Amino acid sequence: MPVLSVGTAHSDATDARALHPYADDTREVLAPTGHFVAEEDPAWFAATLDEFLTSARR
């Protein structure tokens, strides 16, 4: 199952690296925001999620 891990400009992709042993398809992205990604940049979040879900169905 594909897993999307969203880090932020104030953090990193540590969560994604921690998931690698448990998921074959782990994708990492860094949001250009703080902790509240969906509230701070809803257009970026929606576009990123749409791209992930679209590619996961292929």
Side-chain angles (χ1 to χ4, degrees), residues 20-58:
H20 281 297
Y22 307 103
D24 293 331
D25 186 1
T26 305
R27 302 173 199 183
E28 309 166 15
V29 294
L30 289 178
T33 65
H35 293 290
F36 303 103
V37 178
E39 288 100 357
E40 293 178 30
D41 196 343
W44 180 90
F45 183 72
T48 300
L49 188 58
D50 181 59
E51 180 181 328
F52 171 74
L53 293 173
T54 300
S55 68
R57 289 191 303 212
R58 293 182 194 154

